[in-house]
Amino acid sequence: MRWLPSFFLSTALSLGALPAVSCEVALVLAVDVSGSVDDREFETQMRGLAEALRDGAISEALVLKQASVLVMQWTGNQRQRVSIPWRHVKNFDDTDQLADDIENTPRIWRNFSTAIGEALIFAQAAFDEVPQCKRKLIDVSGDGKSNEGIAPRAVHAQLRAAGITVNGLAIEQSDKTLTEYYQDNLIVGPGSFAIRADNFEDYPDRIRLKLLREITKQLSAVPPVQESGNL
């Protein structure tokens, strides 16, 4: 049974007592499926995302913000695809269903390069479908540097102009400089940050911390992470 950190919120939701609010945040979860990620590591990412969404603090924040969430897979040039289209999170049943669907999402590609710039362009275009959302976030998880297509920094100007913030989770299993690379080349926008996972086994815990930081304002209980602001 999922623990709900706020009895008042869960009771209010069940009674329909909360006032209707517009979408406060639109979140794209961009999952790396390049050739360096094996099937077990892909499953670890998807399971970790699902477990994070079942966390009481995260699910409550998503409901309070009436968030919209989209999940995409990305790898090389022209290989980006939506796995789960925009879901508007209105209640805890919605977060539970989204978590279940993420956990059961099949992998699309296996043997291609890492085109982070193209992934960002693809994610940016997806926000056209949720113009009502006030904040726009792209959450990129990956285990390697961009090695194909447009450089991610080349996309920063258009992301800033669109009011989009990009955060990163660098899985340093094969590259111990990846967090630094994400800080210098990937993240952009007010308050943007990169967080490190030493390996794929660390991913579930780190993605939970990352989502807490992205969608909640109560950061005092969240351990500090490596970050860099890009304004």
Side-chain angles (χ1 to χ4, degrees), residues 2-13 18 21 24-25 50-69 89-96 98 208 211-212 214-218:
R2 173 164 31 83
W3 172 73
L4 300 178
S6 169
F7 173 77
F8 171 77
L9 174 60
S10 59
T11 303
L13 285 169
L18 286 180
V21 296
E24 294 289 331
V25 59
E51 291 172 355
L53 292 174
R54 294 184 182 114
D55 179 271
I58 293 173
S59 60
E60 178 173 316
L62 289 170
V63 173
L64 276 172
K65 296 178 183 299
Q66 295 289 280
S68 290
V69 181
V89 177
K90 302 180 291 295
N91 52 54
F92 294 121
D93 288 340
D94 291 338
T95 60
D96 287 343
L98 177 59
R208 175 183 172 275
L211 288 172
L212 279 172
E214 286 171 329
I215 62 176
T216 73
K217 296 185 181 297
Q218 298 177 9

Side-chain angles (χ1 to χ4, degrees), residues 148-164:
E148 185 173 86
I150 188 170
R153 283 191 66 87
V155 188
H156 281 188
Q158 68 191 61
L159 292 168
R160 288 193 191 96
I164 296 170

Side-chain angles (χ1 to χ4, degrees), residues 32-129:
D32 180 3
V33 294
S34 58
S36 58
V37 178
D38 65 28
D39 287 345
R40 180 185 61 81
E41 292 162 349
F42 169 76
E43 292 171 0
T44 298
Q45 289 184 87
M46 304 310 282
R47 185 174 64 253
L49 275 175
E51 291 172 355
L53 292 174
R54 294 184 182 114
D55 179 271
I58 293 173
S59 60
E60 178 173 316
L62 289 170
V63 173
L64 276 172
K65 296 178 183 299
Q66 295 289 280
S68 290
V69 181
L70 176 145
V71 182
M72 60 173 280
Q73 297 180 43
W74 62 275
T75 174
N77 264 339
Q78 300 181 357
R79 289 185 172 86
Q80 308 86 33
R81 188 179 300 173
V82 172
S83 297
I84 299 176
W86 288 112
R87 296 280 185 88
H88 182 48
V89 177
K90 302 180 291 295
N91 52 54
F92 294 121
D93 288 340
D94 291 338
T95 60
D96 287 343
Q97 186 61 59
L98 177 59
D100 290 347
D101 291 345
I102 287 174
E103 194 164 20
N104 293 308
T105 295
R107 183 172 186 164
I108 299 173
W109 296 287
R110 284 178 172 78
N111 300 307
F112 294 97
S113 300
T114 304
I116 298 177
E118 272 72 13
L120 295 176
I121 293 170
F122 183 87
Q124 178 183 347
F127 289 110
D128 291 343
E129 300 175 18

